[in-house]
Amino acid sequence: MPLIQRPLTALSVGLFAALSLAAPAAAEQVGEVGVDWLGNDILIDAVSDPQVAGVTCHVAYFDRGVIDRLQKGNWFEDPSNASISCRQTGPITIKDIDLDEDGDVVFKESRSLIWKSLVVRRIYDEANDTLIYLVNSQQVQDGSAKMNISTVPLYGQDVTWENGKP
């Protein structure tokens, strides 16, 4: 189901996504696993890197149900936990990517009405010829130590660099 069409359990995500600027990449929901009777789910999205053709990341995260939101009274917030796994899914063509140590934001999605976002960032490790994908939660007031990484090695692969390999 596309982001805006998700059920009320993702109300905060849908509301903020409709009000916010366009994200660098779009996510396509490819899985949904119910975890309890409260309507809580683990959602799995496929995120294609818009600057690196041939790489797909799968991001899993917790989505609170309506009953859980009503019981706990925190209607507009989801937990910060997320997991990521990225793989080569086709021929790799790298466009114009940021080579700085803080890399590029590949995907960003709100996890509360205003305060929290789920972010996927790509960093190029030139010394090891590897793309690193980091998923973490960004919060306006307090940072979160909850994160996960996945790597896509480029060594030995037939990789096309549109602007030449650094």
Side-chain angles (χ1 to χ4, degrees):
M1 227 182 287
L3 177 65
I4 301 301
Q5 295 179 352
R6 287 190 182 149
L8 191 56
T9 59
L11 176 64
S12 61
V13 175
L15 282 174
F16 192 75
L19 299 172
S20 68
L21 297 174
E28 177 185 349
Q29 185 176 326
V30 295
E32 181 175 348
V33 178
V35 294
D36 60 25
W37 66 273
L38 298 173
N40 295 320
D41 296 323
I42 295 173
L43 301 180
I44 303 167
D45 289 346
V47 177
S48 296
D49 188 333
Q51 296 296 334
V52 181
V55 171
T56 303
C57 296
H58 290 91
V59 179
Y61 57 93
F62 189 77
D63 187 51
R64 291 177 54 216
V66 174
I67 295 171
D68 188 40
R69 290 174 190 276
L70 290 171
Q71 280 185 336
K72 296 198 171 78
N74 192 349
W75 186 258
F76 294 107
E77 190 169 317
D78 279 318
S80 301
N81 300 342
S83 181
I84 189 168
S85 182
C86 302
R87 298 291 184 268
Q88 179 178 354
T89 55
I92 295 180
T93 300
I94 300 176
K95 299 176 185 173
D96 187 27
I97 65 170
D98 188 343
L99 301 175
D100 294 342
E101 64 183 28
D102 64 342
D104 282 320
V105 172
V106 174
F107 174 76
K108 187 172 186 177
E109 178 179 75
S110 177
R111 300 303 293 144
S112 71
L113 189 58
I114 298 171
W115 308 110
K116 189 188 303 182
S117 296
L118 180 72
V119 179
V120 174
R121 181 175 293 275
R122 175 199 349 90
I123 299 168
Y124 177 58
D125 175 0
E126 186 173 359
N128 295 297
D129 204 16
T130 300
L131 296 173
I132 301 167
Y133 290 88
L134 167 73
V135 64
N136 70 300
S137 177
Q138 286 183 340
Q139 298 180 40
V140 173
Q141 293 181 341
D142 299 316
S144 174
K146 297 175 182 177
M147 71 197 113
N148 199 312
I149 68 168
S150 184
T151 61
V152 177
L154 302 177
Y155 178 78
Q157 303 295 323
D158 185 20
V159 177
T160 303
W161 290 80
E162 286 190 355
N163 297 330
K165 185 174 181 175

